[in-house]
């Protein structure tokens, strides 16, 4: 599919899937780097149902060149133009016997270094020593997320379920979804493929039913300048 067709999908539906962005060898190298990480830190969360690493690229700097590759950046520059930078990163490892699920939601917050009283920014939360705040809608509308899949993922092992076009409806409360008008799509992605999505896209993830792992690296990009008193907490200059 051409770049313009991916752009059209993102504009209309709020997401697209691009296969074969990373080779099997590149994915296996990434997995090996992650397995060597010190999981005792506060940014690591390990339970029976989920292993997660917040501030992932800060915690594993050796992974940066393996993830922010020329191939990936060329594709993103083609789709969105230059000037976007990494502002948040998380690793999710959902084991094959996981009962972990996430109900429908939008990604309404950004991560910043310090709390400040700025008009249009709020409410605030703190998660694992990191401030999160809901910014003005224009920031969320311009940001995008890349989900790099380290395993074949479908509806049986936690592929995202999304509501196409929901990103164009502003703040969309899940309890107000009208299923007589909305449709649900499972975003199946093969190992080495990526899913690109807008933060305002309503999305959910089901429990695993096929005993297959689902490992994903979630990276958020922005080209937005924050007010002087706020700073992106994970800004990575590409």
């Amino acid at each position: 599919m051409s770049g313009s067709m991916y752009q059209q999908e993102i504009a209309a539906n709020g997401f697209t899937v691009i296969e074969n962005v990373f080779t099997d060898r590149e994915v296996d190298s990434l997995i090996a780097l992650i397995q060597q990480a010190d999981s005792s830190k506060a940014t690591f969360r390990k339970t029976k149902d989920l292993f997660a690493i917040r501030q992932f690229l800060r915690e594993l700097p050796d992974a940066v060149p393996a993830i922010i590759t020329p191939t990936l950046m060329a594709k993103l520059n083609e789709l969105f133009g230059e000037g976007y930078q990494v502002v948040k990163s998380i690793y999710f490892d959902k084991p094959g016997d996981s009962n972990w699920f996430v109900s429908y939601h939008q990604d309404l917050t950004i991560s910043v270094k310090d709390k400040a009283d700025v008009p249009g920014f709020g409410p605030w939360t703190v998660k694992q020593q990191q401030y999160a705040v809901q910014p003005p809608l224009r920031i969320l509308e311009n940001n995008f997320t890349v989900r790099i899949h380290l395993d074949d993922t479908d509806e049986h092992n936690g592929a995202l379920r999304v509501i196409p076009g929901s990103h164009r409806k502003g703040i969309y409360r899940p309890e107000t979804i009208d299923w007589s008008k909305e449709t649900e799509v499972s975003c199946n992605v093969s190992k080495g493929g990526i899913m690109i999505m807008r933060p305002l896209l309503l999305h959910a993830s089901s429990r695993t039913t096929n005993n297959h792992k689902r490992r994903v690296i979630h990276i958020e990009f922005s080209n937005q300048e924050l007010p002087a008193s706020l700073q992106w907490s994970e800004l990575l200059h590409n």
Side-chain angles (χ1 to χ4, degrees):
M1 196 157 70
S2 68
S4 62
M5 293 181 73
Y6 289 125
Q7 287 175 318
Q8 290 169 22
E9 277 200 346
I10 294 166
N13 297 329
F15 72 97
T16 194
V17 172
I18 307 176
E19 301 287 10
N20 302 312
V21 176
F22 293 83
T23 66
D24 282 353
R25 179 177 290 180
E26 288 173 326
V27 170
D28 292 343
S29 295
L30 270 171
I31 291 169
L33 279 171
I34 293 165
Q35 288 173 338
Q36 294 166 14
D38 174 8
S39 60
S40 66
K41 296 183 180 180
T43 48
F44 288 62
R45 172 187 169 193
K46 198 160 193 174
T47 68
K48 176 182 178 294
D49 289 317
L50 178 69
F51 173 44
I53 308 173
R54 293 190 173 273
Q55 302 176 49
F56 174 68
L57 294 180
R58 182 181 293 169
E59 294 291 1
L60 276 80
D62 289 349
V64 173
I67 294 171
I68 311 302
T69 64
T71 301
L72 176 65
M73 292 312 301
K75 179 59 67 178
L76 298 182
N77 289 342
E78 177 188 4
L79 297 179
F80 298 100
E82 298 186 358
Y84 278 86
Q85 300 180 98
V86 174
V87 294
K88 186 175 181 178
S89 57
I90 312 173
Y91 169 72
F92 295 106
D93 177 351
K94 191 173 180 180
D97 58 352
S98 174
N99 281 315
W100 182 63
F101 72 96
V102 181
S103 56
Y104 267 107
H105 66 287
Q106 296 171 300
D107 292 338
L108 295 177
T109 64
I110 59 172
S111 296
V112 295
K113 283 186 177 179
D114 298 297
K115 187 175 181 179
D117 186 12
V118 179
F121 287 77
W124 289 80
T125 57
V126 179
K127 185 176 284 187
Q128 284 164 325
Q129 303 170 355
Q130 187 173 56
Y131 285 106
V133 63
Q134 186 169 321
L137 212 55
R138 62 175 173 77
I139 291 180
L140 296 174
E141 288 172 340
N142 279 283
N143 290 0
F144 65 88
T145 297
V146 175
R147 290 170 58 88
I148 302 166
H149 285 248
L150 308 185
D151 301 288
D152 292 335
T153 308
D154 60 22
E155 63 273 17
H156 303 297
N157 66 328
L160 284 194
R161 308 190 323 275
V162 304
I163 299 178
S166 54
H167 68 298
R168 292 184 279 115
K169 300 181 180 181
I171 305 300
Y172 192 160
R173 300 299 178 193
E175 63 272 16
T176 67
I177 297 171
D178 184 349
W179 289 109
S180 69
K181 297 179 181 177
E182 304 287 15
T183 56
E184 179 181 84
V185 173
S186 176
C187 299
N188 299 355
V189 187
S190 300
K191 175 181 177 179
I194 66 173
M195 176 188 175
I196 300 174
M197 59 181 279
R198 292 294 191 183
L200 291 174
L201 180 73
L202 275 167
H203 56 287
S205 175
S206 298
R207 293 179 174 89
T208 301
T209 58
N210 64 359
N211 208 39
H212 292 173
K213 291 174 74 72
R214 192 216 68 179
R215 292 167 291 188
V216 170
I217 298 169
H218 167 117
I219 304 177
E220 297 178 17
F221 289 80
S222 184
N223 66 348
Q224 301 292 298
E225 289 281 339
L226 296 179
S229 53
L230 294 176
Q231 290 180 283
W232 297 103
S233 66
E234 297 180 61
L235 184 63
L236 177 69
H237 296 284
N238 302 325

